[in-house]
Amino acid sequence: MRNKGFSFALWIILWLMVGFAAGRAQVVLPDSLLTVDHVYELIFTDPDMAQNIVMEMREREIEPETELDIVEGDILYNNDYFNKALVFYHKALDDDSLQDNPDEYLGVIHRLISCYDGLHDEVATAKYTQLLMKEARKHGCKHMESVALFQMGKMAYYQGKEQSGYRLIEEAISLMKQSDYAYKYDNLRYEYNTLFIMYQRDSLYENALETLDELEQVLSLQTGEEPEIAGLMGKEMKTLYAHRTNLLWQMMRYREAEETYRQWRKIAPFYTKDDYLIAPYLSKSGRIKEAIRIYKAKEESLRANNDTINYHMRGLKRSLAYIYLKMGDYRAAARYFEDLSMLTDSLKVREQNSHALELAALYETHKYEMEAEEQANKAKMRTIALLCALFVILLFLILIVSLLLNKRQVNRKNQHMADIIQKLLHYKDDLESMKSSQKESTDGAKTAQEADMAMEESSVAKSEEAGDDMEKKRDQVLFDKLDRMVNERKLYLNPMFSRSDMMELIHVDKNRLAKIMQHQGKPNVVAYVNEKRLEYAVKLMGKRSPYKISAIAEMCGIPNVPTFNRLFKQEYGMTPSEFKKSVAESNE
């Protein structure tokens, strides 16, 4: 009787959910909202609604696809989703019709530069900056030449050529001021903000203060033909007050700093996304708890958006680590320093593989095209969903009991396997430590390099006398040397680490390296390196890691998640997600 009641209740709930979804899908936005200008008004205040409007405009084919791609990219870019914005900008750039409109074409290249700059992809940024300068001069477009000059100045500055960077940026600002570009003031705001940060970083405080004054004048000017973006003025003024407060404190003008902070407080309830900019002042002026609250709010915001591996997060981790250290909370400080170290390693790996961004963008473009097609067929799918709902419910009732029992059994098995894997890895680490200790005590004052050479020479001499047996011993010596260097330097974390690199480490050819691996029971070099990577992934998941499986895969040197999942399951008999869940349940 209970099962029948449960089945009936479940059927009612699912039916109501399907009906509610169908009712929601029938809500139609009024025509007055379906304009590009209205989308830009909502970019900061209601980005979700802005995207809904673009989706509706796509379905009704109100504007060309290319223009809507640019608009949707702008929504994502202005909310710091640079990778997602790249998808739409690349899609627009690939449209042949864009070539007939130089202004739109140059505008999309500009947007690509901004995205890659935000992702710290220096190679792609330089590539598109050169393209923009070439095309701007070809079409006689001075404002886009200004944009390219600014980007060149920024790159020069961060390459250590500070004076050249200042000169190029100031030249770019002057050229932009003289232009009649529709987005002139938007660009000037960004350029002044960037120049201010450079001056402040180099302790040129007077220059930095003058730059803020000029920025404030730009903020007060009319924006001409730029689309009006609700909340932009308040957001920019709040950022300016935060910068001015921190700068005045650095200049020891404490009273003025506090007055400017009060101006910031008046706007504080609004545009909270960039509140972390005021936190350095709060920390230095003794408002430690408020600084921690703001930093943690930003940290949670990034984590909620699955955006945990970026330079914003690294800056937050560093700031919180030093605040806790200053407070004497060494445990919290140590935790943040450890997170900072892991995040820095992950960012280095990402930068080494930055060329993959464009490939990922092409893949995502295809994915979004499929999603657009899916939206077009939504009406048909609603009818099919209603017809299939009853069948799904019946199937669900049949499977639920067996799934619950099976899940419990699988969870127990996975927990047991996870415990065994962790113990085996701890045992392996202990053995490695013992081998290292024995080697140090045997070698005495010799360096590790001298010991390796002596052992190799001894092995070579004996191999000539004892044949195959001694050659295996010599291979063992070479393998131990290789294994030690791979472990100590964590070379396996580099996705580009190859057989050639290993041959160079111990100075052998590929045939000899293959023989050495066979003597150690390793099928090949790839299997050996992947074994190291998977062991590193297990260690990461053994610590209450906050990172997603995709981040762990990238950090351990296997950035392709499907490949990572396949190799992990082959090695340990379960997926990484199952392993991580089992470890968490065991800890609890």
Side-chain angles (χ1 to χ4, degrees):
M1 190 69 182
R2 285 181 63 191
N3 288 338
K4 289 183 179 179
F6 173 73
S7 302
F8 180 76
L10 183 62
W11 184 84
I12 292 294
I13 290 169
L14 289 176
W15 183 262
L16 288 172
M17 288 175 66
V18 172
F20 177 74
R24 291 272 296 186
Q26 293 170 359
V27 175
V28 178
L29 294 171
D31 292 343
S32 60
L33 292 180
L34 302 180
T35 66
V36 170
D37 286 346
H38 193 68
V39 172
Y40 281 108
E41 289 176 14
L42 298 171
I43 276 182
F44 290 116
T45 55
D46 194 349
D48 291 335
M49 174 58 79
Q51 283 194 303
N52 287 338
I53 292 173
V54 172
M55 187 181 298
E56 188 72 22
M57 292 173 74
R58 286 187 193 277
E59 288 186 4
R60 299 197 202 177
E61 298 181 353
I62 292 175
E63 296 287 349
E65 271 298 303
T66 301
E67 183 172 351
L68 293 177
D69 286 335
I70 295 171
V71 173
E72 190 155 2
D74 288 348
I75 296 171
L76 294 164
Y77 170 79
N78 282 285
N79 286 278
D80 296 336
Y81 298 118
F82 302 132
N83 272 319
K84 292 181 180 179
L86 280 171
V87 173
F88 292 98
Y89 293 151
H90 273 291
K91 185 180 174 186
L93 193 68
D94 291 339
D95 192 322
D96 293 337
S97 65
L98 202 68
Q99 302 290 335
D100 300 329
N101 189 334
D103 288 340
E104 289 284 358
Y105 176 61
L106 293 172
V108 172
I109 298 174
H110 180 196
R111 288 168 166 88
L112 287 170
I113 292 169
S114 299
C115 284
Y116 282 121
D117 187 38
L119 291 166
H120 296 265
D121 186 340
E122 296 177 4
V123 175
T125 302
K127 171 186 170 183
Y128 285 101
T129 299
Q130 290 173 1
L131 178 62
L132 182 63
M133 178 62 82
K134 174 186 171 184
E135 294 295 322
R137 287 176 174 171
K138 174 183 172 182
H139 296 286
C141 184
K142 293 297 182 184
H143 55 266
M144 281 301 168
E145 187 176 339
S146 165
V147 171
L149 273 175
F150 166 76
Q151 197 60 46
M152 288 176 178
K154 190 174 178 182
M155 288 188 292
Y157 175 85
Y158 286 109
Q159 289 169 4
K161 302 172 184 176
E162 290 85 357
Q163 295 304 318
S164 178
Y166 296 146
R167 179 180 56 77
L168 286 168
I169 290 176
E170 288 167 358
E171 186 179 339
I173 289 173
S174 176
L175 196 60
M176 184 61 72
K177 282 182 175 179
Q178 298 169 26
S179 75
D180 56 356
Y181 184 34
Y183 297 94
K184 174 168 73 174
Y185 296 107
D186 184 43
N187 280 272
L188 285 173
R189 285 191 293 269
Y190 176 63
E191 289 167 2
Y192 274 124
N193 268 305
T194 303
L195 187 59
F196 159 75
I197 291 169
M198 292 176 179
Y199 280 140
Q200 185 185 40
R201 178 184 175 188
D202 293 339
S203 301
L204 300 174
Y205 298 140
E206 292 298 337
N207 299 70
L209 195 57
E210 288 176 11
T211 303
L212 285 181
D213 291 338
E214 292 176 7
L215 173 60
E216 190 167 6
Q217 291 179 11
V218 170
L219 290 175
S220 64
L221 295 173
Q222 295 296 321
T223 57
E225 298 177 13
E226 291 182 35
E228 183 177 347
I229 299 177
L232 178 61
M233 178 66 172
K235 176 181 179 296
E236 292 287 346
M237 286 303 298
K238 189 174 178 182
T239 298
L240 184 140
Y241 288 144
H243 286 328
R244 194 186 292 277
T245 302
N246 287 315
L247 179 61
L248 289 169
W249 181 270
Q250 287 177 297
M251 298 172 74
M252 294 186 288
R253 293 161 64 169
Y254 304 125
R255 182 177 297 176
E256 294 175 68
E258 185 62 26
E259 289 174 1
T260 310
Y261 172 62
R262 290 195 195 102
Q263 291 178 297
W264 182 91
R265 290 275 300 174
K266 290 178 183 178
I267 322 176
F270 310 99
Y271 326 110
T272 57
K273 191 178 91 170
D274 294 334
D275 278 2
Y276 69 95
L277 294 173
I278 201 69
Y281 171 73
L282 296 173
S283 175
K284 293 171 186 175
S285 60
R287 301 172 174 94
I288 303 293
K289 290 184 179 179
E290 181 65 10
I292 291 175
R293 183 192 67 77
I294 288 175
Y295 277 136
K296 283 187 170 290
K298 182 65 175 178
E299 183 183 22
E300 288 303 316
S301 172
L302 291 174
R303 186 172 287 115
N305 290 319
N306 295 321
D307 192 15
T308 57
I309 304 180
N310 56 47
Y311 285 85
H312 277 313
M313 183 65 86
R314 188 176 74 170
L316 291 172
K317 298 284 187 187
R318 182 187 290 112
S319 299
L320 284 167
Y322 281 110
I323 285 178
Y324 280 121
L325 189 64
K326 183 179 178 182
M327 291 173 61
D329 188 344
Y330 302 116
R331 180 174 296 179
R335 186 175 69 252
Y336 275 101
F337 275 122
E338 182 181 0
D339 289 348
L340 177 63
S341 176
M342 294 174 66
L343 182 56
T344 300
D345 288 342
S346 182
L347 285 169
K348 286 179 181 177
V349 172
R350 174 175 284 182
E351 288 176 357
Q352 289 169 357
N353 295 278
S354 60
H355 62 276
L357 284 171
E358 291 195 47
L359 294 176
L362 293 174
Y363 167 76
E364 290 292 331
T365 299
H366 176 69
K367 185 182 77 172
Y368 277 99
E369 286 174 349
M370 295 297 291
E371 289 176 354
E373 186 178 344
E374 182 182 351
Q375 291 295 331
N377 295 325
K378 193 187 290 183
K380 296 178 183 178
M381 294 302 294
R382 288 186 205 118
T383 304
I384 297 172
L386 288 171
L387 294 174
C388 292
L390 183 59
F391 173 78
V392 171
I393 294 167
L394 292 173
L395 183 63
F396 175 77
L397 291 173
I398 294 170
L399 293 176
I400 188 168
V401 175
S402 61
L403 285 175
L404 288 172
L405 293 173
N406 186 59
K407 182 181 177 183
R408 188 173 182 181
Q409 185 178 0
V410 168
N411 284 344
R412 284 183 177 177
K413 179 187 123 182
N414 286 344
Q415 284 183 25
H416 182 62
M417 285 296 298
D419 289 339
I420 291 174
I421 290 167
Q422 289 184 300
K423 287 176 182 176
L424 287 173
L425 286 182
H426 283 309
Y427 178 69
K428 185 173 180 180
D429 289 342
D430 290 339
L431 284 177
E432 292 292 338
S433 298
M434 289 173 61
K435 283 173 67 178
S436 179
S437 299
Q438 289 173 358
K439 182 170 180 60
E440 288 175 3
S441 63
T442 301
D443 289 346
K446 288 183 179 180
T447 65
Q449 184 178 3
E450 291 171 343
D452 288 336
M453 290 174 63
M455 293 176 75
E456 288 172 25
E457 289 171 2
S458 173
S459 297
V460 170
K462 292 179 181 179
S463 67
E464 292 174 357
E465 299 172 6
D468 290 342
D469 186 58
M470 294 310 298
E471 185 171 346
K472 287 182 181 180
K473 291 183 179 179
R474 182 174 182 269
D475 288 349
Q476 181 67 51
V477 171
L478 290 172
F479 177 82
D480 290 343
K481 176 183 176 182
L482 173 66
D483 194 58
R484 185 176 66 256
M485 287 190 286
V486 169
N487 286 330
E488 288 176 352
R489 303 179 194 175
K490 292 187 178 179
L491 299 174
Y492 49 85
L493 296 184
N494 181 359
M496 308 305 294
F497 184 57
S498 66
R499 179 177 64 180
S500 300
D501 297 324
M502 297 177 73
M503 290 160 51
E504 199 171 320
L505 285 173
I506 55 175
H507 309 294
V508 297
D509 60 27
K510 63 181 181 181
N511 294 328
R512 184 59 185 278
L513 182 61
K515 204 169 184 181
I516 290 171
M517 288 295 164
Q518 288 174 2
H519 287 163
Q520 298 302 317
K522 313 292 181 186
N524 51 49
V525 169
V526 174
Y528 165 75
V529 174
N530 284 339
E531 179 181 328
K532 297 288 184 183
R533 290 168 175 165
L534 294 175
E535 289 175 2
Y536 185 80
V538 167
K539 291 175 184 176
L540 287 178
M541 287 186 278
K543 299 178 176 178
R544 297 187 174 272
S545 171
Y547 301 118
K548 300 281 185 184
I549 295 300
S550 58
I552 292 170
E554 188 169 346
M555 291 164 66
C556 79
I558 310 176
N560 185 290
V561 176
T563 301
F564 175 66
N565 287 334
R566 177 175 56 79
L567 293 173
F568 195 98
K569 187 162 186 179
Q570 285 177 358
E571 184 70 17
Y572 300 118
M574 68 181 86
T575 66
S577 299
E578 290 170 343
F579 180 87
K580 188 176 180 184
K581 180 182 176 184
S582 299
V583 170
E585 290 175 353
S586 294
N587 290 335
E588 289 172 1

